[in-house]
Amino acid sequence: DVKVTQSSRYLVKRTGEKVFLECVQDMDHENMFWYRQDPGLGLRLIYFSYDVKMKEKGDIPEGYSVSREKKERFSLILESASTNQTSMYLCASSLAITYEQYFGPGTRLTVT
Amino acid sequence: RKEVEQDPGPFNVPEGATVAFNCTYSNSASQSFFWYRQDCRKEPKLLMSVYSSGNEDGRFTAQLNRASQYISLLIRDSKLSDSATYLCVVNDESNYQLIWGAGTKLIIKP
């Protein structure tokens, strides 16, 4: 069965802290994605990766960075958390040249 | 900017009824279309792909109208468990990314 896991379901951080969100998939998928989801808005792509050590900016990369050192793991880093980064963060993966994405359960991050 | 637009709802529908909702997309070059379902506080999951000829999966029927650039989802004999938010998704043909609508909330009432 397809499985994408995320390191935390709920996270509370203070403004200015460095935050790490981890995502692991066990499906040997080439593509991995980080989205944020806010009420009334569609999923917005932050970063994606097509291969190990490879990353591409999505629609809203400002304030974020990513790391993909292994095929199964894709990390999202908030260098200095701000209150406007309070959101639901969703990780997804997919096979190369396909569009069907499988999601992790999400991390609800609150920055105070 | 490439966009996908949906009526946010909520659609309040009695159990057993038929309900339909549409979404419109702006990118005429898009080739792949999907409906995802998202339960409250859960992750999105693929419900069905939408083919040019339309497709049916049990009580669910999806249609594509390329000329008018909209996709529809029809749910027949609705069940309480169909209550969810339905996300319309379209590919960005320049890469393997997806463009997501904000979702239509459906509430099935007993």
Short mmCIF file of all heavy atoms in Angstrom, two decimals, chain B residues 14-48:
data_model
loop_
_atom_site.label_atom_id
_atom_site.label_comp_id
_atom_site.label_asym_id
_atom_site.label_seq_id
_atom_site.Cartn_x
_atom_site.Cartn_y
_atom_site.Cartn_z
N PRO B 14 -29.76 16.32 0.61
CA PRO B 14 -30.32 15.19 1.38
C PRO B 14 -29.77 13.86 0.88
O PRO B 14 -29.48 13.69 -0.32
CB PRO B 14 -31.82 15.29 1.13
CG PRO B 14 -31.95 16.05 -0.14
CD PRO B 14 -30.79 16.97 -0.22
N GLU B 15 -29.62 12.95 1.80
CA GLU B 15 -29.15 11.60 1.46
C GLU B 15 -30.03 10.99 0.36
O GLU B 15 -31.25 11.13 0.37
CB GLU B 15 -29.21 10.73 2.71
CG GLU B 15 -28.52 9.40 2.59
CD GLU B 15 -28.54 8.65 3.92
OE1 GLU B 15 -29.23 9.11 4.85
OE2 GLU B 15 -27.86 7.62 4.01
N GLY B 16 -29.38 10.37 -0.62
CA GLY B 16 -30.11 9.76 -1.71
C GLY B 16 -30.28 10.64 -2.92
O GLY B 16 -30.64 10.15 -4.01
N ALA B 17 -30.03 11.91 -2.77
CA ALA B 17 -30.20 12.84 -3.90
C ALA B 17 -29.00 12.76 -4.84
O ALA B 17 -27.96 12.17 -4.53
CB ALA B 17 -30.37 14.26 -3.38
N THR B 18 -29.16 13.39 -5.98
CA THR B 18 -28.08 13.54 -6.95
C THR B 18 -27.54 14.96 -6.87
O THR B 18 -28.32 15.92 -6.77
CB THR B 18 -28.59 13.26 -8.37
OG1 THR B 18 -28.98 11.89 -8.46
CG2 THR B 18 -27.50 13.53 -9.40
N VAL B 19 -26.25 15.09 -6.89
CA VAL B 19 -25.64 16.41 -6.81
C VAL B 19 -24.55 16.52 -7.87
O VAL B 19 -23.90 15.52 -8.20
CB VAL B 19 -25.05 16.67 -5.40
CG1 VAL B 19 -23.99 15.64 -5.03
CG2 VAL B 19 -24.50 18.09 -5.28
N ALA B 20 -24.41 17.71 -8.41
CA ALA B 20 -23.37 17.93 -9.42
C ALA B 20 -22.70 19.26 -9.17
O ALA B 20 -23.35 20.23 -8.76
CB ALA B 20 -23.98 17.91 -10.83
N PHE B 21 -21.42 19.30 -9.41
CA PHE B 21 -20.72 20.58 -9.38
C PHE B 21 -19.63 20.62 -10.44
O PHE B 21 -19.14 19.58 -10.90
CB PHE B 21 -20.15 20.94 -8.00
CG PHE B 21 -19.81 19.80 -7.11
CD1 PHE B 21 -18.60 19.15 -7.23
CD2 PHE B 21 -20.68 19.37 -6.13
CE1 PHE B 21 -18.26 18.11 -6.40
CE2 PHE B 21 -20.36 18.33 -5.28
CZ PHE B 21 -19.14 17.69 -5.40
N ASN B 22 -19.33 21.83 -10.83
CA ASN B 22 -18.38 22.07 -11.92
C ASN B 22 -17.15 22.79 -11.42
O ASN B 22 -17.14 23.37 -10.32
CB ASN B 22 -19.02 22.97 -12.99
CG ASN B 22 -20.19 22.32 -13.67
OD1 ASN B 22 -20.32 21.11 -13.69
ND2 ASN B 22 -21.06 23.15 -14.23
N CYS B 23 -16.14 22.78 -12.25
CA CYS B 23 -15.03 23.69 -12.04
C CYS B 23 -14.57 24.16 -13.42
O CYS B 23 -14.73 23.46 -14.42
CB CYS B 23 -13.91 23.05 -11.24
SG CYS B 23 -12.62 22.25 -12.17
N THR B 24 -14.04 25.36 -13.49
CA THR B 24 -13.53 25.91 -14.74
C THR B 24 -12.02 26.09 -14.63
O THR B 24 -11.48 26.33 -13.55
CB THR B 24 -14.18 27.26 -15.07
OG1 THR B 24 -13.92 28.16 -14.00
CG2 THR B 24 -15.68 27.12 -15.27
N TYR B 25 -11.36 25.94 -15.75
CA TYR B 25 -9.90 26.10 -15.76
C TYR B 25 -9.52 27.07 -16.86
O TYR B 25 -10.21 27.20 -17.87
CB TYR B 25 -9.20 24.74 -15.93
CG TYR B 25 -9.54 24.01 -17.21
CD1 TYR B 25 -8.73 24.12 -18.33
CD2 TYR B 25 -10.65 23.18 -17.27
CE1 TYR B 25 -9.02 23.45 -19.50
CE2 TYR B 25 -10.96 22.50 -18.44
CZ TYR B 25 -10.15 22.64 -19.55
OH TYR B 25 -10.46 21.97 -20.71
N SER B 26 -8.42 27.76 -16.66
CA SER B 26 -8.06 28.85 -17.58
C SER B 26 -7.07 28.41 -18.65
O SER B 26 -6.97 29.07 -19.70
CB SER B 26 -7.46 30.01 -16.78
OG SER B 26 -6.28 29.60 -16.12
N ASN B 27 -6.34 27.35 -18.42
CA ASN B 27 -5.28 26.95 -19.33
C ASN B 27 -5.79 25.99 -20.40
O ASN B 27 -6.00 24.81 -20.13
CB ASN B 27 -4.14 26.31 -18.54
CG ASN B 27 -2.95 25.97 -19.42
OD1 ASN B 27 -2.90 26.34 -20.60
ND2 ASN B 27 -1.98 25.27 -18.86
N SER B 28 -6.01 26.50 -21.59
CA SER B 28 -6.58 25.67 -22.66
C SER B 28 -5.65 24.54 -23.09
O SER B 28 -6.08 23.60 -23.74
CB SER B 28 -6.92 26.56 -23.87
OG SER B 28 -5.76 27.18 -24.36
N ALA B 29 -4.38 24.61 -22.73
CA ALA B 29 -3.43 23.57 -23.13
C ALA B 29 -3.40 22.39 -22.17
O ALA B 29 -2.74 21.39 -22.44
CB ALA B 29 -2.03 24.17 -23.25
N SER B 30 -4.11 22.48 -21.05
CA SER B 30 -4.12 21.38 -20.09
C SER B 30 -4.67 20.12 -20.71
O SER B 30 -5.61 20.17 -21.52
CB SER B 30 -4.95 21.76 -18.85
OG SER B 30 -4.32 22.80 -18.14
N GLN B 31 -4.07 18.99 -20.33
CA GLN B 31 -4.45 17.71 -20.91
C GLN B 31 -4.94 16.70 -19.89
O GLN B 31 -5.54 15.69 -20.25
CB GLN B 31 -3.25 17.10 -21.65
CG GLN B 31 -2.77 17.92 -22.84
CD GLN B 31 -3.78 17.95 -23.96
OE1 GLN B 31 -4.45 16.96 -24.24
NE2 GLN B 31 -3.92 19.11 -24.60
N SER B 32 -4.63 16.92 -18.64
CA SER B 32 -4.99 15.94 -17.61
C SER B 32 -5.81 16.62 -16.53
O SER B 32 -5.50 17.73 -16.10
CB SER B 32 -3.72 15.34 -16.99
OG SER B 32 -2.96 14.67 -17.98
N PHE B 33 -6.86 15.91 -16.11
CA PHE B 33 -7.83 16.49 -15.18
C PHE B 33 -8.20 15.44 -14.13
O PHE B 33 -8.31 14.26 -14.45
CB PHE B 33 -9.09 16.92 -15.96
CG PHE B 33 -8.78 17.76 -17.17
CD1 PHE B 33 -8.57 17.17 -18.40
CD2 PHE B 33 -8.68 19.14 -17.06
CE1 PHE B 33 -8.26 17.92 -19.52
CE2 PHE B 33 -8.39 19.90 -18.18
CZ PHE B 33 -8.17 19.30 -19.40
N PHE B 34 -8.41 15.93 -12.91
CA PHE B 34 -8.67 15.00 -11.82
C PHE B 34 -9.66 15.60 -10.84
O PHE B 34 -9.75 16.83 -10.70
CB PHE B 34 -7.36 14.71 -11.04
CG PHE B 34 -6.22 14.28 -11.91
CD1 PHE B 34 -5.34 15.23 -12.43
CD2 PHE B 34 -6.01 12.95 -12.21
CE1 PHE B 34 -4.28 14.86 -13.24
CE2 PHE B 34 -4.96 12.56 -13.02
CZ PHE B 34 -4.09 13.52 -13.53
N TRP B 35 -10.35 14.72 -10.15
CA TRP B 35 -11.08 15.10 -8.95
C TRP B 35 -10.42 14.39 -7.77
O TRP B 35 -10.23 13.17 -7.80
CB TRP B 35 -12.55 14.69 -9.03
CG TRP B 35 -13.38 15.58 -9.90
CD1 TRP B 35 -13.80 15.33 -11.17
CD2 TRP B 35 -13.89 16.87 -9.56
NE1 TRP B 35 -14.53 16.38 -11.64
CE2 TRP B 35 -14.61 17.35 -10.67
CE3 TRP B 35 -13.81 17.68 -8.41
CZ2 TRP B 35 -15.25 18.58 -10.68
CZ3 TRP B 35 -14.45 18.90 -8.43
CH2 TRP B 35 -15.15 19.35 -9.55
N TYR B 36 -10.07 15.17 -6.75
CA TYR B 36 -9.58 14.64 -5.49
C TYR B 36 -10.65 14.89 -4.43
O TYR B 36 -11.41 15.85 -4.50
CB TYR B 36 -8.28 15.34 -5.05
CG TYR B 36 -7.01 14.77 -5.63
CD1 TYR B 36 -6.71 14.93 -6.99
CD2 TYR B 36 -6.10 14.09 -4.84
CE1 TYR B 36 -5.53 14.42 -7.52
CE2 TYR B 36 -4.92 13.59 -5.36
CZ TYR B 36 -4.64 13.76 -6.70
OH TYR B 36 -3.47 13.25 -7.22
N ARG B 37 -10.64 14.03 -3.43
CA ARG B 37 -11.54 14.19 -2.30
C ARG B 37 -10.70 14.46 -1.06
O ARG B 37 -9.66 13.83 -0.86
CB ARG B 37 -12.34 12.90 -2.13
CG ARG B 37 -13.16 12.85 -0.88
CD ARG B 37 -13.65 11.45 -0.57
NE ARG B 37 -14.17 11.41 0.79
CZ ARG B 37 -15.40 11.02 1.08
NH1 ARG B 37 -16.21 10.58 0.13
NH2 ARG B 37 -15.82 11.03 2.32
N GLN B 38 -11.17 15.41 -0.24
CA GLN B 38 -10.47 15.70 1.00
C GLN B 38 -11.47 15.74 2.15
O GLN B 38 -12.35 16.60 2.18
CB GLN B 38 -9.72 17.04 0.91
CG GLN B 38 -8.85 17.33 2.13
CD GLN B 38 -7.97 18.55 1.96
OE1 GLN B 38 -8.27 19.44 1.19
NE2 GLN B 38 -6.85 18.60 2.69
N ASP B 39 -11.33 14.80 3.06
CA ASP B 39 -12.15 14.81 4.27
C ASP B 39 -11.60 15.84 5.25
O ASP B 39 -10.43 16.23 5.17
CB ASP B 39 -12.17 13.42 4.90
CG ASP B 39 -12.88 12.41 4.02
OD1 ASP B 39 -14.00 12.71 3.57
OD2 ASP B 39 -12.31 11.35 3.75
N CYS B 40 -12.46 16.23 6.18
CA CYS B 40 -12.09 17.28 7.13
C CYS B 40 -10.80 16.91 7.89
O CYS B 40 -10.70 15.82 8.45
CB CYS B 40 -13.24 17.49 8.11
SG CYS B 40 -13.00 18.90 9.19
N ARG B 41 -9.83 17.80 7.84
CA ARG B 41 -8.55 17.63 8.53
C ARG B 41 -7.76 16.40 8.07
O ARG B 41 -6.97 15.84 8.81
CB ARG B 41 -8.76 17.58 10.04
CG ARG B 41 -9.32 18.88 10.59
CD ARG B 41 -9.36 18.91 12.10
NE ARG B 41 -9.81 20.22 12.57
CZ ARG B 41 -9.00 21.24 12.77
NH1 ARG B 41 -7.73 21.12 12.55
NH2 ARG B 41 -9.48 22.39 13.21
N LYS B 42 -8.01 15.99 6.83
CA LYS B 42 -7.27 14.87 6.25
C LYS B 42 -6.58 15.33 4.97
O LYS B 42 -6.81 16.43 4.49
CB LYS B 42 -8.23 13.72 5.92
CG LYS B 42 -8.95 13.16 7.12
CD LYS B 42 -8.10 12.17 7.86
CE LYS B 42 -8.92 11.43 8.90
NZ LYS B 42 -8.11 10.41 9.60
N GLU B 43 -5.76 14.43 4.42
CA GLU B 43 -5.07 14.77 3.18
C GLU B 43 -5.95 14.50 1.97
O GLU B 43 -6.87 13.68 2.02
CB GLU B 43 -3.77 13.95 3.06
CG GLU B 43 -3.96 12.47 2.77
CD GLU B 43 -4.16 11.63 4.02
OE1 GLU B 43 -4.55 12.17 5.07
OE2 GLU B 43 -3.94 10.41 3.92
N PRO B 44 -5.69 15.17 0.85
CA PRO B 44 -6.43 14.88 -0.39
C PRO B 44 -6.11 13.48 -0.89
O PRO B 44 -4.98 13.01 -0.79
CB PRO B 44 -5.91 15.93 -1.37
CG PRO B 44 -5.26 16.98 -0.54
CD PRO B 44 -4.73 16.28 0.67
N LYS B 45 -7.13 12.84 -1.47
CA LYS B 45 -6.93 11.53 -2.09
C LYS B 45 -7.60 11.53 -3.45
O LYS B 45 -8.69 12.10 -3.61
CB LYS B 45 -7.53 10.42 -1.20
CG LYS B 45 -6.79 10.24 0.10
CD LYS B 45 -7.35 9.09 0.91
CE LYS B 45 -6.57 8.94 2.21
NZ LYS B 45 -7.09 7.84 3.06
N LEU B 46 -6.94 10.88 -4.41
CA LEU B 46 -7.49 10.85 -5.75
C LEU B 46 -8.83 10.13 -5.78
O LEU B 46 -8.95 8.99 -5.33
CB LEU B 46 -6.51 10.16 -6.70
CG LEU B 46 -6.96 10.08 -8.15
CD1 LEU B 46 -7.02 11.47 -8.77
CD2 LEU B 46 -6.03 9.18 -8.96
N LEU B 47 -9.83 10.80 -6.30
CA LEU B 47 -11.16 10.19 -6.47
C LEU B 47 -11.25 9.56 -7.86
O LEU B 47 -11.58 8.39 -8.01
CB LEU B 47 -12.24 11.26 -6.30
CG LEU B 47 -13.68 10.81 -6.50
CD1 LEU B 47 -14.09 9.82 -5.44
CD2 LEU B 47 -14.63 12.01 -6.52
N MET B 48 -10.98 10.37 -8.88
CA MET B 48 -11.00 9.83 -10.24
C MET B 48 -10.32 10.78 -11.21
O MET B 48 -10.26 11.99 -10.99
CB MET B 48 -12.43 9.53 -10.70
CG MET B 48 -13.36 10.70 -10.70
SD MET B 48 -15.11 10.22 -10.75
CE MET B 48 -15.19 9.09 -12.11
#
